[in-house]
Amino acid sequence: MMKALRNSGTRIAVALAGAGVLFLGAYLLALPDTPDARTGDGSPRLVAGETATIQRVVDGDTIIVHRNGATGTDRVRLIGIDTPELGHRNGPDECYGTEATALLSSLLPEDTEVELRPDPTQLQVDKYGRLLRHIQIPETNTNVVLELLGAGAGPEYTYDKPYQGQAGYRAAEAAARSQAAGYWGACR
């Protein structure tokens, strides 16, 4: 009887420890949106990025990179845009999905050096395990999402709460929409 109670107690302790680790991990992922990550006026503080090399473009808002100093590759979801999807599981592409992917591929050909900049207002990874980042091309000082939005690759996308540069991204979308550029002329 004592052995059964001890085993039961051990299982409970292990379960509680596991839950604690999960809670701590979730807490740490949420840390970038603390008051310390904001400037005096409440706006997000710019966060230094890291350099990476483009391995390939998955679709209009997701890339695979090799981060300098890291092993392997990472999937990165661009913050601030939601382009039409390419066909999944043999389904058809959404309207303008192929074009949005081609546009991102032209901006970020294989082996392009980019800066991946986290946003202190957002989680570090999404529910699919992709890094959430702003993408800058240092060589030309190009904000990739502003380019995509301005060309009409898809709508501005805010997942949960405002992010750095949101007003500019929305303005770029509005300009593309008013000119019926890309997605806005082909699909709306």
Side-chain angles (χ1 to χ4, degrees):
M1 173 86 167
M2 289 301 287
K3 185 176 182 181
L5 285 174
R6 209 173 354 197
N7 286 342
S8 176
T10 301
R11 278 188 240 129
I12 291 170
V14 169
L16 287 173
V21 168
L22 289 175
F23 178 79
L24 178 62
Y27 174 75
L28 291 174
L29 283 175
L31 280 180
D33 195 23
T34 63
D36 292 340
R38 297 187 174 276
T39 61
D41 66 0
S43 63
R45 180 170 288 145
L46 290 177
V47 176
E50 62 182 324
T51 56
T53 304
I54 299 297
Q55 298 300 298
R56 75 180 179 93
V57 170
V58 175
D59 61 22
D61 55 33
T62 305
I63 57 177
I64 295 178
V65 301
H66 177 310
R67 293 184 293 158
N68 295 352
T71 58
T73 59
D74 293 289
R75 278 183 177 262
V76 178
R77 172 70 163 78
L78 283 63
I79 294 173
I81 190 167
D82 187 22
T83 62
E85 297 296 328
L86 294 178
H88 295 288
R89 298 184 185 100
N90 297 322
D93 294 345
E94 290 181 353
C95 182
Y96 214 74
T98 302
E99 294 85 348
T101 302
L103 179 57
L104 184 55
S105 294
S106 71
L107 290 169
L108 299 176
E110 186 177 321
D111 295 327
T112 301
E113 292 288 321
V114 296
E115 180 182 2
L116 305 177
R117 191 168 44 87
D119 191 314
T121 68
Q122 307 296 304
L123 293 174
Q124 295 299 302
V125 296
D126 68 8
K127 65 183 179 180
Y128 302 108
R130 298 176 294 188
L131 298 173
L132 297 172
R133 298 292 187 269
H134 294 282
I135 310 297
Q136 191 87 11
I137 304 172
E139 186 176 311
T140 59
N141 200 30
T142 301
N143 178 314
V144 172
V145 172
L146 276 176
E147 291 291 316
L148 292 170
L149 289 167
E156 179 276 335
Y157 179 70
T158 302
Y159 171 68
D160 186 29
K161 52 189 160 194
Y163 53 86
Q164 290 179 343
Q166 183 187 53
Y169 287 15
R170 287 184 171 174
E173 178 203 309
R177 185 187 294 238
S178 72
Q179 298 167 5
Y183 169 81
W184 303 108
C187 308
R188 294 289 172 177

